[in-house]
Amino acid sequence: MEKDNTLSQISRSVNNSSADTKALAKQISEYINGNSLSQIAQNLQQIEALMSCYRCAIMEVETKFRVLNEQFSLSHERNPIDSIKTRLKSPESIIEKLNRKNYPNTINSIEENIKDVAGIKVICSFIDDIYMLADCLLQQDDIKLIERKDYIKNPKENGYRSLHLIVEIPIFLQDEKRLMKVEVQLRTIAMEFWANLEHKLRYKKNLSEKTASLTAKELSECAQMSAILDEKMQRVRDEIENSD
């Protein structure tokens, strides 16, 4: 009876949902049909435990950056970090990515194949702060670099700039030690400004081919102006510091 009620709720919600939500609801319905309630409860507990581990990993990496920021401020009288943002991928996003990449929909598959479940974004004042902080993080003996993509030196075609790191860090739980992956994005305030507005302007917009092409060109030009601004601001800072 409980399972029938769950399926009825999913069925009612599907009628007023988007295509993506309908597909997800169908997967959930098929999953419920193929598993007992005890199996479903057990899997949910495993997912909750995994997400908790990712949250712990985020806290570990965030603490490392806050310590570096504090230490740097003592010796240089300024903070290299403007702000830190964290995020945990939603179950819907995880399932979508597993399906898009043709990975198995299992707990082990999430850990092995999805490297950006846990994410932390470090917003810096200047470009050289980005590389300094990345180097300091990677020099720590409990951090292992899994992947590095430098979109600052090699911007994406649309103009996107940022330094991306996938790192592995140990977390110490009540009765075990686990190695967890965290995606770290380091960018300047200008890079963050451009990325946020670009996402809002282009996300799931049904634009004509002509408008899309014109928009892409204008956003790319904005990205170039943003890069020039970063370089100019860093030169101004260098001139001020070298004059002391």
Side-chain angles (χ1 to χ4, degrees), residues 21-63:
T21 305
K22 289 179 181 178
L24 178 61
K26 182 181 178 182
Q27 289 179 340
I28 294 172
S29 178
E30 291 172 350
Y31 173 73
I32 291 175
N33 276 325
N35 293 273
S36 67
L37 290 177
S38 61
Q39 288 174 319
I40 294 171
Q42 182 180 6
N43 288 339
L44 286 175
Q45 289 176 351
Q46 291 176 342
I47 292 172
E48 289 174 359
L50 179 61
M51 293 300 104
S52 176
C53 289
Y54 279 119
R55 280 192 290 271
C56 292
I58 288 173
M59 288 189 283
E60 291 281 357
V61 176
E62 182 179 6
T63 298

Side-chain angles (χ1 to χ4, degrees), residues 2-101:
E2 186 176 348
K3 183 185 289 188
D4 291 339
N5 289 338
T6 302
L7 290 174
S8 297
Q9 291 171 1
I10 292 174
S11 178
R12 287 195 299 269
S13 66
V14 164
N15 293 328
N16 298 317
S17 300
S18 65
D20 290 342
T21 305
K22 289 179 181 178
L24 178 61
K26 182 181 178 182
Q27 289 179 340
I28 294 172
S29 178
E30 291 172 350
Y31 173 73
I32 291 175
N33 276 325
N35 293 273
S36 67
L37 290 177
S38 61
Q39 288 174 319
I40 294 171
Q42 182 180 6
N43 288 339
L44 286 175
Q45 289 176 351
Q46 291 176 342
I47 292 172
E48 289 174 359
L50 179 61
M51 293 300 104
S52 176
C53 289
Y54 279 119
R55 280 192 290 271
C56 292
I58 288 173
M59 288 189 283
E60 291 281 357
V61 176
E62 182 179 6
T63 298
K64 287 179 177 293
F65 278 114
R66 294 199 181 280
V67 169
L68 289 171
N69 193 49
E70 176 68 19
Q71 183 186 29
F72 188 91
S73 68
L74 293 175
S75 56
H76 293 79
E77 296 184 346
R78 71 177 184 87
N79 296 97
I81 297 176
D82 179 76
S83 62
I84 297 177
K85 302 176 182 179
T86 63
R87 64 114 183 94
L88 193 65
K89 235 180 194 353
S90 68
E92 294 83 1
S93 295
I94 294 172
I95 291 172
E96 186 277 330
K97 191 164 188 176
L98 287 173
N99 292 337
R100 178 161 43 87
K101 299 285 187 179

